[in-house]
Amino acid sequence: MSLSGKRILVGVSGGIAIYKTLELLSLLNKAGAETHVVMTESATRFVTPLTFQTMSQHKVYTDLFEESDGFIPHIDLTREADAFLIAPATANVLAKMAHGMADDLLSATALAAHCPVIVAPAMNVVMYQNPATQENLQILEKRGIHVLYPNEGWLACQEVGTGRMPEATELFEALDTFFTEKDLAGTKILVTAGPTKERLDPVRFLTNDSSGKQGVAIARRAQKRGAEVTLVHGDIKVPVPIHVRDIPVESTEDMLEALKKEFPATDVLIMAAAPADFRPVEEQTQKIKGLDDGKVRAFSVLDTPDILRTLAGMKTDQVVIGFATETEKVLEHAREKMEKKQLDFIVANDVTKEGAAFDYDTNIVTILGEEVEKSLPILSKEEVADQILDLLR
Ligand code: CTP
């Protein structure tokens, strides 16, 4: 993960969104980042420094004039940081920053920042829309300060409008993106994820256990690495990442149709979905009724189209990457699939291994290509995603 080992200085000013900052600290620490905190006097009225100290596991700074052993907080804190995030950033803090004022530790630290500065404004909608605030934000952006713009929604002042600070998870994602090298900028990537469903009747269907986690992890990492990503997916158990174009589908045939439209304009297809391999010959329009005890019911099924094979047949200069879900002779079967489906690479997955089955957050794969055979240890699905995406550099 790109946040692991990063040192982030978090500046906290006095706004009700401060509770989200506490959750953010927890997310950052869980991801292996080191956090340090600077608070304004107003912020300490909402939450005590002790609470922040407990979350960050480091001393919290509030005083501009505190100096010990030659460590001058407003100069040295950002010297050692990889980024200075101010969240929440009140209208007052933004105004001070825009005009170079430095009358407390937080604003002095921002003025003396030796590292990139990111602000997450949070305030009442009227304060946010006031031309003074809007112009201050423009000034800050022009000077290279990154702004994580507020969302629209219910505000603590009992009004609806723009001014809500992004949620902790959104701030976390934004920081993670900030620290990720954009080595896939300019690449269009089409990713598939999850199972498809084949309907028997209006309330029943055939499907499989795929969670969509691996495909979603690929989409998330590709987006963070600067690619333009479209995700075509069935029912997935995890959310579609932000800034990823979302195309939900139901059946294997629907997935094929959606992909046929997208494929000519893409540079890469990564087929991590687990499309249902067969479908009932007929879909009943009415709910199938129960039978008397002991009677056998039979359904006829037909194979669904092989999506990869169909798309590989339409290939111009796209890179096509498939997955192989195997339970025996894994590499042999995967290579056969790669050749049969005319793939550039295949990611072989032995689902009998502990830590590699559908619903896990980890995977154990071997990446195969004409001249590639890369056996990877157990990794998180995000790490596996990065290994696959590295093939495209
Ligand atoms: N796949 C596909 N269309 C299907 C079924 C699978 O494009 N109708 C893709 C999967 O997304 C995966 C690759 O083909 O990238 C291999 O899928 P897998 O389930 O391992 O193999 P199958 O092709 O279904 O073959 P088999 O079930 O015989 O192993």
Side-chain angles (χ1 to χ4, degrees):
M1 277 287 278
S2 27
L3 278 166
S4 172
K6 290 287 181 298
R7 196 168 159 135
I8 297 167
L9 180 64
V10 181
V12 189
S13 60
I16 190 63
I18 199 166
Y19 69 94
K20 297 180 185 175
T21 314
L22 285 167
E23 192 191 336
L24 174 67
L25 286 181
S26 159
L27 294 172
L28 289 171
N29 289 344
K30 226 183 284 169
E34 185 180 315
T35 53
H36 295 262
V37 177
V38 170
M39 295 177 80
T40 62
E41 207 273 319
S42 318
T44 64
R45 302 242 197 142
F46 284 88
V47 175
T48 65
L50 179 64
T51 314
F52 275 98
Q53 185 179 309
T54 311
M55 296 305 285
S56 90
Q57 296 289 300
H58 292 99
K59 174 183 160 54
V60 169
Y61 293 85
T62 55
D63 183 2
L64 179 58
F65 299 101
E66 178 183 325
E67 186 202 328
S68 67
D69 298 332
F71 183 84
I72 306 166
H74 71 283
I75 306 291
D76 293 325
L77 279 169
T78 57
R79 227 195 270 276
E80 293 169 357
D82 294 300
F84 181 23
L85 168 72
I86 306 176
T90 59
N92 183 47
V93 161
L94 297 173
K96 288 205 282 182
M97 287 172 70
H99 298 283
M101 290 171 70
D103 63 350
D104 66 2
L105 179 59
L106 192 145
S107 50
T109 306
L111 193 62
H114 289 71
C115 65
V117 180
I118 307 165
V119 292
M123 67 201 73
N124 164 270
V125 55
V126 181
M127 291 170 89
Y128 179 67
Q129 284 170 348
N130 190 303
T133 306
Q134 290 302 312
E135 281 171 26
N136 287 338
L137 282 169
Q138 280 171 22
I139 291 173
L140 293 176
E141 268 198 316
K142 226 186 296 159
R143 291 186 194 143
I145 289 183
H146 305 266
V147 181
L148 303 178
Y149 280 94
N151 295 332
E152 198 182 321
W154 180 250
L155 302 172
C157 44
Q158 316 289 301
E159 276 183 80
V160 175
T162 304
R164 273 181 74 84
M165 188 168 83
E167 300 304 316
T169 48
E170 293 173 276
L171 295 176
F172 176 85
E173 290 293 332
L175 280 175
D176 192 31
T177 304
F178 180 79
F179 284 115
T180 305
E181 192 196 334
K182 305 292 175 281
D183 59 349
L184 296 177
T187 310
K188 287 189 181 155
I189 305 187
L190 190 52
V191 185
T192 67
T196 57
K197 271 184 192 169
E198 302 298 336
R199 290 214 168 264
L200 270 168
D201 73 9
V203 295
R204 301 182 181 92
F205 48 81
L206 300 175
T207 188
N208 58 62
D209 276 335
S210 168
S211 62
K213 284 179 182 173
Q214 185 60 74
V216 167
I218 294 167
R220 179 184 293 112
R221 292 301 306 158
Q223 191 276 329
K224 282 188 196 277
R225 288 170 67 166
E228 198 183 304
V229 185
T230 300
L231 182 68
V232 178
H233 62 90
D235 266 351
I236 47 180
K237 295 181 187 158
V238 282
V240 174
I242 39 178
H243 308 307
V244 164
R245 203 168 133 237
D246 176 20
I247 305 183
V249 294
E250 184 169 290
S251 66
T252 300
E253 190 69 48
D254 295 343
M255 186 172 272
L256 175 61
E257 287 312 310
L259 290 170
K260 270 188 186 165
K261 280 195 202 127
E262 300 296 323
F263 189 70
T266 199
D267 300 311
V268 182
L269 168 68
I270 305 181
M271 191 76 199
D277 287 318
F278 37 82
R279 64 170 176 85
V281 173
E282 274 177 78
E283 180 188 333
Q284 303 296 322
T285 53
Q286 302 300 326
K287 186 176 168 225
I288 301 165
K289 292 290 174 199
L291 292 176
D292 294 337
D293 273 357
K295 291 209 175 145
V296 173
R297 192 196 296 272
F299 292 105
S300 306
V301 292
L302 263 179
D303 278 3
T304 54
D306 186 320
I307 299 176
L308 265 179
R309 225 170 158 168
T310 312
L311 293 174
M314 293 168 55
K315 200 169 128 153
T316 47
D317 49 6
Q318 291 88 346
V319 176
V320 179
I321 305 177
F323 275 70
T325 306
E326 307 293 345
T327 53
E328 56 165 356
K329 298 187 187 155
V330 177
L331 296 190
E332 194 185 318
H333 286 170
R335 272 212 186 270
E336 277 168 23
K337 252 178 216 174
M338 183 171 81
E339 274 148 35
K340 194 173 79 182
K341 300 192 187 213
Q342 295 176 274
L343 309 177
D344 296 289
F345 300 99
I346 198 155
V347 183
N349 196 347
D350 179 352
V351 285
T352 61
K353 283 191 188 152
E354 175 80 9
F358 273 155
D359 215 14
Y360 281 73
D361 290 327
T362 52
N363 215 345
I364 307 166
V365 302
T366 300
I367 299 174
L368 300 174
E370 210 182 328
E371 282 159 21
V372 178
E373 182 167 329
K374 199 168 174 189
S375 287
L376 298 170
I378 185 163
L379 294 174
S380 72
K381 286 191 170 169
E382 298 248 328
E383 288 167 326
V384 169
D386 273 329
Q387 293 282 342
I388 297 168
L389 294 167
D390 285 349
L391 297 167
L392 307 173
R393 286 191 304 194

